[in-house]
Amino acid sequence: MFSGAFNIALAAPLIVPELYKRYFALLWRVNSLLSLGGREPIAPSEGINALLINTAGIDLVLIGVFVIYSARDPLSRWFIPAANATGRTIFAGIILYYVLVQDIARVVLIIGIVDVLISGAFIYYLLALRSHLSVGNATHQGDRLCEKSIFQK
């Protein structure tokens, strides 16, 4: 649930035309307050680039909604958190690339670190759930075998 809410909270401001410019400015203020370094982000003003920012915001919010949706039944919807963990890990790698090569504002490293932590939590949760269910199913199947052997006598 946190992962979905994190996506929605961080991406929603990107959806609204012109609001994303204030959001970029806010990220830079936070970056400056924390003395993280890097270059100040410049929000695109040209139409197609601005549209792509808005579209990315919509997509990220939808991903957040899907992740929240998957939390209701993680067993049958396991692919959503698994794919999200993969995407978040790739995104963190891309953030690191841009920090090193383009000297972008370091505040995005915080987002990347949170994404890696979320990815790890997803993988741990999915593996633990799978392991728990495997043990539970084996125990349940063992009970059935006992019942069959008792009743077959």
Side-chain angles (χ1 to χ4, degrees), residues 4-141:
F6 182 72
N7 259 43
I8 293 168
L10 287 182
L14 299 174
I15 294 173
V16 182
E18 302 301 320
L19 181 59
Y20 70 90
K21 292 178 182 178
R22 291 185 189 145
Y23 186 57
F24 278 38
L26 173 67
L27 287 175
W28 180 246
R29 276 190 230 118
V30 171
N31 191 82
S32 297
L33 281 171
L34 299 174
S35 300
L36 296 174
R39 290 188 293 178
E40 183 175 359
I42 300 168
S45 57
E46 191 273 324
I48 192 74
N49 293 321
L51 176 63
L52 290 174
I53 295 289
N54 300 141
T55 303
I58 292 167
D59 292 345
L60 289 168
V61 167
L62 286 174
I63 290 169
V65 170
F66 292 152
V67 169
I68 291 171
Y69 167 76
S70 72
R72 296 191 72 187
D73 186 7
L75 289 178
S76 65
R77 300 172 186 154
W78 66 268
F79 181 77
I80 294 171
N84 191 262
T86 302
R88 285 180 182 281
T89 303
I90 292 168
F91 180 60
I94 292 170
I95 287 173
L96 187 58
Y97 167 81
Y98 280 107
V99 164
L100 295 174
V101 174
Q102 297 289 325
D103 195 33
I104 64 172
R106 305 290 193 273
V107 70
V108 295
L109 280 174
I110 295 170
I111 296 168
I113 291 167
V114 171
D115 278 343
V116 168
L117 293 172
I118 289 170
S119 296
F122 273 151
I123 299 304
Y124 174 80
Y125 176 72
L126 289 172
L127 292 175
L129 190 59
R130 181 176 157 204
S131 174
H132 176 72
L133 290 174
S134 295
V135 170
N137 284 341
T139 303
H140 186 65
Q141 288 172 355

